[in-house]
Amino acid sequence: MNLPDPSVLYSDHLDELRRRADEALARGGFDHLVVPSGTAHYQVFDDRDYPYAVNPQFKAWLPLTHVPDSWLVYTPGKRPQVIFHQPHDYWHVVPAAPSGWWVEHCDIHIIRSPEQALPLLPPAARSAILGEPQSALGDHGPNNPQPVIDYLEYHRTYKTPYEIALMRQAQVLAVRGHRAAEAAFREGRSEFAIHMAYCAAVGQDATELPYGNIVALNEHGAVLHYTQMQTEVPSPLRSFLIDAGAGTGGYASDITRTYAAEAGSEFQALIDAVDAAQVGMGRAVRAGFDYKQLHLDAHLALASILRDFGVIKVSAEEALATGVSAAFFPHGIGHLLGLQVHDVAGFAASDRGGRIERPAGHPYLRLTRVLEPGMVVTIEPGIYFVDMLLDEVNKSGHGASVDWNRVAQFKPYGGIRIEDNILCTEGEPDNLTRPLFAAH
Ligand code: GLY
Ligand code: MN
Ligand code: MN
């Protein structure tokens, strides 16, 4: 599959970021945008640092995810200034000299120690400094002005062609990993071994993956963010849920697949039903469609499946109204995706702030906006068999809505989630994930 080349799209991306920064600075009353890349954080009473995580406001400008103590400085009308920290250090691998498609578009200042950035920074009082408190240098402590952040985060929702190109690459990597993971599952490997097979195929580990891999066999699939990864292989092996992404140039993919060990099993049929419903939900990723509605429609679709499989005995509408569907589908249908796996501004009412609340009774939905072209969202319906939530159904007096024998039959399989990443366009939704599974 031919992928667009981000290097030829970067210049336009930078122009767009400059336009956004011009307006954001005007709104905040500042003359300069100053963005530290972030610093290492140390563990308490220890000299070990936590994995470094780059400031998302920094990697929005530059495809650099491993240059701590560096800075991006933008002044309207001028070229971006990159203060690039390349220490003299024989203990660690230091960042390579600046190279790549971004270099010719920026003025680069190499510094050898963090303090050398100070004389290169514009006056703090006139600067919007976006970052974490630990990045403070002299009087350049991050002030994170809300009008500036509101504007930049809101507009980050609309991906530039450069960003889409990088996100497509992140899909290719992750799908390669998913294929290797499925093969490892079919060979009867442990969660830990499957995780290692995934990382090897993607060429990334915990420091580069956009989030911790969820690799769950059997009933572990019912733990939404299961990250324990056992080294023992359970017996019998019934099911496999993997939620794993990849990062490219600072952009994330976030993909989930579920497999049954037995091809003709009823659990496989349930997976197939969720998969078909997920494809239908993906088709609703259209400009003008309210994502809150997409979430509520997903409840109805999943409750219909539960009814078809005899797990619930009430209509989909009743299951939604009584909270029974939420016991089986206890998370949101998805979220914005981009520089962060749960990308920002999912509730933003406008680029001047304000919040669009979630529908009552749906506390985990992460996106409440109306879809617009350029947004990339996940669509990730799931059905799980979680004791804690099923107990609550009983306690709330709706136990008669559920066929508990059917629940008991499915419980050893844990759960099902299917997650694709979908670009909203002016026309048809562009599913970034699914065609790659078909092609590999
Ligand atoms: N991987 C976390 C999520 O799907 O939101
Ligand atoms: Mn996921
Ligand atoms: Mn997700």
Side-chain angles (χ1 to χ4, degrees):
M1 186 170 291
N2 281 338
L3 293 175
D5 176 2
S7 71
V8 300
L9 301 167
Y10 180 69
S11 170
D12 286 348
H13 171 73
L14 210 49
D15 286 347
E16 175 61 20
L17 289 197
R18 292 164 67 149
R19 272 193 292 278
R20 291 178 191 171
D22 291 349
E23 178 61 23
L25 290 170
R27 289 190 181 189
F30 294 96
D31 298 333
H32 313 277
L33 182 71
V34 175
V35 186
S37 64
T39 51
H41 299 188
Y42 288 87
Q43 299 178 25
V44 66
F45 302 131
D46 205 332
D47 63 357
R48 289 185 306 152
D49 49 359
Y50 289 105
Y52 165 74
V54 64
N55 178 353
Q57 299 280 2
F58 182 86
K59 63 177 176 170
W61 290 80
L62 301 161
L64 302 176
T65 53
H66 290 285
V67 287
D69 300 306
S70 298
W71 299 73
L72 180 285
V73 177
Y74 171 69
T75 304
K78 302 222 173 102
R79 277 158 63 90
Q81 308 289 303
V82 179
I83 302 170
F84 191 99
H85 183 224
Q86 194 187 26
H88 288 302
D89 177 350
Y90 61 88
W91 291 92
H92 308 99
V93 173
V94 300
S99 67
W101 62 72
W102 60 276
V103 167
E104 64 184 278
H105 300 279
C106 305
D107 294 339
I108 298 167
H109 311 264
I110 303 284
I111 56 172
R112 299 299 185 184
S113 68
E115 300 70 38
Q116 288 175 2
L118 212 40
L120 298 166
L121 296 174
R126 301 301 315 141
S127 300
I129 307 177
L130 311 185
E132 57 184 352
Q134 293 91 334
S135 295
L137 187 63
D139 61 351
H140 286 77
N143 50 5
N144 295 324
Q146 205 57 49
V148 175
I149 289 185
D150 282 345
Y151 188 86
L152 294 180
E153 290 197 339
Y154 186 85
H155 288 278
R156 226 172 80 191
T157 312
Y158 311 108
K159 270 59 185 180
T160 65
Y162 161 83
E163 293 178 299
I164 302 291
L166 286 173
M167 292 180 78
R168 287 188 196 280
Q169 292 184 359
Q171 299 286 321
V172 172
L173 283 180
V175 169
R176 191 181 298 160
H178 275 261
R179 284 304 190 208
E182 185 194 355
F185 165 65
R186 301 285 179 209
E187 288 164 15
R189 315 275 293 278
S190 70
E191 291 167 345
F192 186 76
I194 295 171
H195 165 70
M196 297 304 274
Y198 181 93
C199 291
V202 173
Q204 299 183 353
D205 71 0
T207 59
E208 282 150 312
L209 294 172
Y211 57 91
N213 283 353
I214 296 166
V215 177
L217 295 172
N218 294 356
E219 54 280 332
H220 294 161
V223 181
L224 298 185
H225 283 170
Y226 176 82
T227 52
Q228 294 299 90
M229 291 195 216
Q230 305 296 314
T231 52
E232 304 290 316
V233 181
S235 178
L237 206 46
R238 301 185 187 91
S239 57
F240 171 41
L241 185 156
I242 173 166
D243 183 344
T248 304
Y251 290 84
S253 52
D254 177 12
I255 300 172
T256 308
R257 288 293 183 269
T258 309
Y259 305 95
E262 236 186 282
S265 62
E266 203 175 22
F267 189 66
Q268 181 65 59
L270 191 57
I271 294 173
D272 292 344
V274 175
D275 192 68
Q278 193 268 2
V279 170
M281 295 167 201
R283 287 203 202 99
V285 177
R286 289 173 188 275
F289 199 79
D290 189 334
Y291 197 81
K292 294 193 291 299
Q293 189 60 47
L294 210 158
H295 172 81
L296 296 173
D297 290 348
H299 268 269
L300 294 176
L302 293 167
S304 294
I305 292 171
L306 288 167
R307 192 183 155 96
D308 290 347
F309 278 77
V311 177
I312 62 172
K313 302 191 255 183
V314 292
S315 69
E317 288 73 16
E318 188 177 338
L320 174 58
T322 54
V324 169
S325 63
F328 294 95
F329 173 44
H331 57 73
I333 187 60
H335 49 85
L336 292 165
L337 180 71
L339 287 164
Q340 293 162 239
V341 64
H342 296 153
D343 216 2
V344 290
F347 305 102
S350 79
D351 60 18
R352 294 183 185 276
R355 184 178 163 93
I356 306 171
E357 293 301 337
R358 301 177 174 104
H362 296 269
Y364 299 111
L365 183 59
R366 289 192 170 96
L367 173 57
T368 54
R369 290 169 62 178
V370 171
L371 294 167
E372 293 177 71
M375 290 180 172
V376 178
V377 299
T378 69
I379 294 292
E380 48 182 304
I383 287 178
Y384 312 85
F385 300 90
V386 183
D387 281 333
M388 184 185 115
L389 300 177
L390 295 169
D391 286 348
E392 282 169 20
V393 170
N394 261 326
K395 281 191 207 133
S396 66
H398 297 291
S401 304
V402 174
D403 183 329
W404 297 99
N405 288 327
R406 295 295 280 154
V407 167
Q409 284 164 4
F410 282 116
K411 218 160 71 173
Y413 296 83
I416 297 169
R417 180 163 65 257
I418 312 282
E419 177 175 26
D420 288 345
N421 306 155
I422 303 184
L423 169 64
C424 182
T425 75
E426 304 277 354
E428 292 299 308
D430 185 351
N431 188 318
L432 305 180
T433 311
R434 220 163 248 269
L436 295 175
F437 273 95
H440 284 75

